[in-house]
């Protein structure tokens, strides 16, 4: 247990009065009977600190532990110069000969900047709101078991190169002062797309893989000749009355 400010002051005063370690220990025992007496080394350290620093208080803050050499003035200038030329620089691939942790500490502690993440949102058109409202009203008018009859489908693409990962796209700016930014990539990227359907009873239909973008005719062909056929097999396996299920392929976006 560390000595309190009062106890440190008492040790310094008694030592300069008596010039004796033993008398300081005896006086400390009488004045602080509930506290273990300090050793001669503890007394000497407090006296030496008082002579060199002007105080006997603990000065370990900022002086203990491994010294951080990465946040040097030179490295701060290097990072600041790099941000002036490219505010979307990568902490891991900056090429500045500083570690990722040092780069982030300089950004937040020295430059007082903040890392902002890119968010991708779909642009709403003028006729989107009425369409969404009509769909919601139509949906609310269905019967209670209608949800069990729905087949919801969606697809995603797995890009083989050059895919933008939203989690890795960052831009740096002063805190609470984000700015708009773009991240451009080529549209001719190799990819594999996959589509799946989820039935109201939890059954999964698919997956279906295709390598190219589908136009309207190809998309319709996929639904008629693959998804419908697998769905009919599912109804036969589950002994479901064909007329009970309605094939309603809804884009996930319509439900948001």
């Amino acid at each position: 247990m560390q000595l309190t400010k009062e106890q440190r002051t008492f040790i310094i005063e008694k030592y300069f009065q008596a010039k004796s370690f033993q008398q300081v220990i005896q006086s400390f025992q009488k004045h602080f009977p509930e506290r273990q007496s300090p050793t001669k080394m503890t007394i000497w350290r407090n006296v030496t600190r008082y002579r060199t620093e002007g105080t006997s208080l603990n000065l370990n803050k900022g002086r203990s532990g491994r010294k951080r050499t990465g946040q040097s003035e030179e490295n701060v200038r290097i990072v600041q110069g790099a941000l002036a030329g490219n505010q979307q620089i990568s902490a891991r691939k900056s090429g500045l000969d500083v570690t990722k942790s040092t780069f982030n500490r300089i950004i937040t502690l020295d430059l007082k900047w903040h890392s902002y993440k890119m968010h991708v949102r779909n642009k709403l058109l003028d006729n989107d709101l009425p369409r969404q409202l009509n769909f919601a009203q139509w949906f609310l008018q269905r019967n209670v078991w209608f949800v069990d009859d729905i087949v919801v489908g969606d697809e995603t693409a797995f890009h083989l190169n050059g895919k933008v990962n939203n989690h890795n796209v960052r831009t740096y700016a002063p805190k609470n002062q984000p700015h708009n930014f773009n991240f451009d990539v080529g549209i001719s990227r190799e990819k594999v797309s996959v589509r799946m359907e989820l039935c109201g009873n939890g059954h999964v239909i698919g997956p279906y893989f295709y390598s190219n973008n589908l136009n309207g005719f190809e998309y319709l062909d996929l639904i008629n000749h693959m998804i419908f056929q697998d769905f009919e097999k599912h109804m036969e396996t589950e002994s479901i009355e064909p007329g009970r299920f309605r094939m309603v392929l809804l884009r996930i976006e319509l439900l948001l």
Side-chain angles (χ1 to χ4, degrees), residues 9 12 44 47 53 84 87 95 106 109 123 125 135 153-154 157 159 163 165 172 181 201 205 226 235 248:
T9 303
I12 297 300
W44 175 247
V47 171
E53 303 289 350
Q87 295 178 344
I106 291 176
L109 301 179
K123 182 178 180 179
L125 303 178
F135 174 80
D154 197 22
H159 295 262
K163 170 62 178 174
N165 187 333
Y172 296 93
F181 68 99
N201 61 359
I205 299 177
M226 296 184 66
M235 289 194 298
V248 185

Side-chain angles (χ1 to χ4, degrees), residues 62-87:
R63 301 186 180 187
S64 61
R66 180 172 61 88
K67 299 297 182 182
R68 297 191 182 274
T69 58
Q71 289 175 253
S72 62
E73 294 183 1
E74 180 181 1
N75 284 345
V76 173
R77 287 195 298 269
I78 291 175
V79 173
Q80 189 173 21
L83 286 175
N86 180 16
Q87 295 178 344

Side-chain angles (χ1 to χ4, degrees), residues 84-146:
N86 180 16
Q87 295 178 344
Q88 298 179 23
I89 189 172
S90 170
R92 291 180 297 178
K93 303 177 182 179
S94 62
L96 302 179
D97 197 25
V98 295
T99 64
K100 176 186 175 183
S101 57
T102 298
F103 182 89
N104 290 330
R105 280 197 296 268
I106 291 176
I107 292 290
T108 56
L109 301 179
D110 295 290
L111 302 181
K112 308 299 183 182
W113 278 34
H114 186 71
S115 173
Y116 293 93
K117 176 182 175 182
M118 181 182 71
H119 293 274
V120 179
R121 296 184 176 92
N122 294 326
K123 182 178 180 179
L124 293 178
L125 303 178
D126 294 337
N127 61 342
D128 285 340
L129 182 59
R131 290 175 57 222
Q132 293 178 348
L133 180 60
N134 292 337
F135 174 80
Q137 293 174 343
W138 171 84
F139 193 88
L140 291 175
Q141 295 174 0
R142 304 304 98 186
N143 52 45
V144 293
W145 60 83
F146 177 75

Side-chain angles (χ1 to χ4, degrees), residues 52-253:
T52 57
E53 303 289 350
T55 178
S56 64
L57 298 178
N58 194 341
L59 299 177
N60 286 335
K61 184 176 181 181
R63 301 186 180 187
S64 61
R66 180 172 61 88
K67 299 297 182 182
R68 297 191 182 274
T69 58
Q71 289 175 253
S72 62
E73 294 183 1
E74 180 181 1
N75 284 345
V76 173
R77 287 195 298 269
I78 291 175
V79 173
Q80 189 173 21
L83 286 175
N86 180 16
Q87 295 178 344
Q88 298 179 23
I89 189 172
S90 170
R92 291 180 297 178
K93 303 177 182 179
S94 62
L96 302 179
D97 197 25
V98 295
T99 64
K100 176 186 175 183
S101 57
T102 298
F103 182 89
N104 290 330
R105 280 197 296 268
I106 291 176
I107 292 290
T108 56
L109 301 179
D110 295 290
L111 302 181
K112 308 299 183 182
W113 278 34
H114 186 71
S115 173
Y116 293 93
K117 176 182 175 182
M118 181 182 71
H119 293 274
V120 179
R121 296 184 176 92
N122 294 326
K123 182 178 180 179
L124 293 178
L125 303 178
D126 294 337
N127 61 342
D128 285 340
L129 182 59
R131 290 175 57 222
Q132 293 178 348
L133 180 60
N134 292 337
F135 174 80
Q137 293 174 343
W138 171 84
F139 193 88
L140 291 175
Q141 295 174 0
R142 304 304 98 186
N143 52 45
V144 293
W145 60 83
F146 177 75
V147 175
D148 295 334
D149 296 349
I150 291 179
V151 178
V152 180
D154 197 22
E155 68 274 343
T156 189
F158 296 90
H159 295 262
L160 304 181
N161 61 346
K163 170 62 178 174
V164 176
N165 187 333
N166 295 345
H167 297 284
N168 292 336
V169 177
R170 294 288 192 276
T171 186
Y172 296 93
K175 195 171 184 179
N176 298 326
Q177 299 180 31
H179 55 268
N180 296 327
F181 68 99
N182 299 319
F183 192 90
D184 299 325
V185 295
I187 60 175
S188 58
R189 299 189 301 269
E190 296 182 2
K191 66 179 181 179
V192 174
S193 300
V194 58
R195 181 178 180 87
M196 298 182 66
E197 316 298 329
L198 178 63
C199 301
N201 61 359
H203 185 83
V204 175
I205 299 177
Y208 308 97
F209 295 92
Y210 46 95
S211 56
N212 300 321
N213 292 328
L214 299 182
N215 57 35
F217 296 103
E218 293 171 336
Y219 191 75
L220 183 61
D221 183 72
L222 173 66
I223 294 177
N224 290 332
H225 295 91
M226 296 184 66
I227 297 179
F228 266 122
Q229 291 182 5
D230 292 342
F231 183 71
E232 291 175 352
K233 295 178 181 178
H234 164 64
M235 289 194 298
E236 294 176 358
T237 303
E238 300 293 331
S239 299
I240 300 174
E241 182 182 352
R244 180 174 178 268
F245 266 92
R246 292 172 295 277
M247 190 63 174
V248 185
L249 295 175
L250 301 175
R251 303 284 296 186
I252 294 296
E253 299 90 88

